[in-house]
Amino acid sequence: MSFKAAAIQMCSGVDPVKNAADMARLVRDAASQGAVYVQTPEMTGAVQKDRPGLRAVLRDEAGDIIVKTAAELAKELGIYLHIGSTAIALDDGKIANRGFLFGPDGKLINRYDKIHMFDVDLDNGESWRESAVYRPGSEARITSLPFAELGFSICYDVRFPQLFRAQAVAGAQVMTVPAAFTRQTGEAHWEILLRARAIENGMFVIAAAQAGTHEDGRETFGHSMIIDPWGKVLASAGGTGEAVVIAEIDVAAVKSAHDKIPNLKNAREFSLEKIATPAAGGVAA
């Protein structure tokens, strides 16, 4: 079975109301081109590095404008709409970096909280500590859609291949990687990581990204893309500004890739032993 998928590239600002309107315009564009599955980037609702500023616009899931708008859009357009993620206020004072998947009836099918926190120190003084603000998720989920088995990740999760492998072994045919990659890390690793996850698991990868210079001063890499199980980039966007990236997903290509290179079946358990280097003139124990 094949279906048309879209990755929405955005440059979200600090105002969730404006971001919701921008999202709606781009999602309608994708649906008008025949996309039945549409994915938005990480932090669709607000890209805001100022913590008090972010908390000022936060709402819980029931009151979030992105969640409300997405449910209405999915029903209006009759599509599967995947909000890559948006910030959701939690009862314990923390925030969830949470993705949502809505069905053509507007009902919520699945939610996913980003598991791996982006706690890094990069060159030129760029430093991030997501764990200081966000509560990490602890559960991976696969959703069975009429046309594909869909797996979930968010941004930094792409650097943890065990998450992708576990979902591939469980039957995922399409993995989703909505992101807000920094320009610095994106230039170095974005495409190669996405293609590696596709190749090593024999699955499609759909990655909607934030792109450009945001209101809060952050720079994100963009280059939203859709990749097939052989590692071929089917469609991609540039590094700045909005875009609607669309490709036909032929799910039969997953089986074809697995038939050619059945590495999921060929994997074996193994032990690991660390051998000490013997001292000069000695013999290893």
Side-chain angles (χ1 to χ4, degrees), residues 144-162:
S144 296
L145 300 183
F147 40 75
E149 298 293 309
L150 195 71
F152 293 82
S153 74
I154 296 173
C155 201
Y156 190 48
D157 284 337
V158 77
R159 293 183 183 271
F160 298 85
Q162 65 272 27

Side-chain angles (χ1 to χ4, degrees), residues 94-244:
K94 287 273 192 174
I95 303 169
N97 188 345
R98 180 170 293 170
F100 298 89
L101 178 66
F102 295 93
D105 58 1
K107 293 182 180 179
L108 180 64
I109 297 174
N110 188 27
R111 58 172 64 82
Y112 168 75
D113 287 357
K114 184 177 182 179
I115 292 174
H116 300 97
M117 299 288 95
F118 191 54
D119 290 358
V120 303
D121 297 297
L122 304 174
D123 293 339
N124 302 321
E126 187 176 357
S127 182
W128 300 93
R129 290 292 180 274
E130 281 190 338
S131 63
V133 179
Y134 294 94
R135 187 179 74 188
S138 59
E139 184 178 22
R141 292 178 170 180
I142 295 173
T143 297
S144 296
L145 300 183
F147 40 75
E149 298 293 309
L150 195 71
F152 293 82
S153 74
I154 296 173
C155 201
Y156 190 48
D157 284 337
V158 77
R159 293 183 183 271
F160 298 85
Q162 65 272 27
L163 175 63
F164 288 69
R165 177 51 57 94
Q167 294 183 72
V169 169
Q173 299 164 311
V174 179
M175 277 298 297
T176 60
V177 193
F181 249 62
T182 68
R183 181 171 298 280
Q184 186 176 168
T185 57
E187 288 174 345
H189 300 146
W190 171 247
E191 182 175 335
I192 196 168
L193 283 170
L194 293 174
R195 295 180 70 191
R197 297 297 86 86
I199 293 165
E200 67 199 8
N201 294 298
M203 56 169 58
F204 286 91
V205 169
I206 303 175
Q210 295 283 354
T213 301
H214 299 260
E215 283 183 279
D216 71 343
R218 185 181 318 193
E219 287 188 274
T220 51
F221 184 63
H223 294 89
S224 301
M225 59 182 64
I226 301 174
I227 302 166
D228 79 4
W230 205 244
K232 179 182 178 182
V233 177
L234 300 178
S236 64
T240 58
E242 296 177 345
V244 176

